[in-house]
Amino acid sequence: MADTVLREDEGRVAVLTIHRPDKLNALSQQVRDDMLGHLAAIETDDSIGAVVITGAGEKSFVAGADISEFDGRSPMDQRHAMRSPRIFDVMAEFPKPVIAMINGFCLGGGCEMAMSCDLRVASEKARFGQPEINLGLIPGGGGTQRLPRLVGTGQAMRLILTGDMIGAAEAKEIGLADRVFAHDELRAKTLELAAKIASKSPITLKVAKQAVRASEQLPLADGISYERDLFCLCFSTEDMAEGVKAFLGKRPAEWKGR
Ligand code: COA
């Protein structure tokens, strides 16, 4: 595996750092392949309960797809580059929670990657945008679909049609960033949040994420019905039996992930 994505484990949290700081961590094919490789390894690693994605350096989370790879490309070449499995869908469907730790520019494919995560925690210095319009392009990593679901059609239209960047405070106001912290506190605060999530039952986290993701696809009545089925399915897990016994016994639960 090349070195464009670095993995460090902090307790039960795996931190994946996209490492192309001289290119503002632009998403090359190599970055996408390396990210998929790391996620495949983490998926089956029981020692990891949650994943944090960030960018190397002080300036950028991810400044978008690597524009140099677009130059002279045919539509068929581009279609091949966008073949499944796509990193955005893999993150959205990943069976463990994935948190974007947004330390700077969060543009284009970077913003789409952040939107594929379950939570977006941003530095006050972060800048968000979908600037593809300035390249004669539209967002191609799910931005036209995930952005309106997060911030509403009007705000999504504004960002996609103007290509303008917005700061972290405005991103939080419209629902694109979930938490915003001072730049030098970002890592500690994000890891604190990730560690709290990773301390829960892995099997219950998986089911909870699946239920919330379903809300993006299903009509309300079907979603409520699906939630009821998943809720009842939890009664088959050892962790649910343990959680209830621990509460009644006034002691902390010990999760087994079964
Ligand atoms: N793809 C490829 N290279 C990129 C890149 C991208 N998306 N974003 C930045 N880079 C490269 C620059 O070409 C430059 O490389 P160089 O030093 O070899 O010339 C380096 O990263 C630093 O970027 P630079 O533009 O000099 O930094 P800046 O602080 O002046 O500007 C941005 C920062 C983010 C405003 C600017 O880099 C930018 O607009 N990037 C493209 C954003 C974009 O359109 N993303 C969507 C792509 S579909």
Side-chain angles (χ1 to χ4, degrees), residues 22-24 26 59 63-68 70 105 107-109 131-132 135 137 165:
D22 54 326
K23 296 292 177 190
L24 304 185
K59 201 171 159 183
D66 189 325
I67 299 168
S68 68
F70 290 163
F105 288 119
L107 303 174
E132 292 89 344
L135 299 166
L137 277 171
M165 285 189 227

Side-chain angles (χ1 to χ4, degrees), residues 218-226:
L218 297 176
L220 183 61
D222 293 346
I224 300 273
S225 169
Y226 184 53

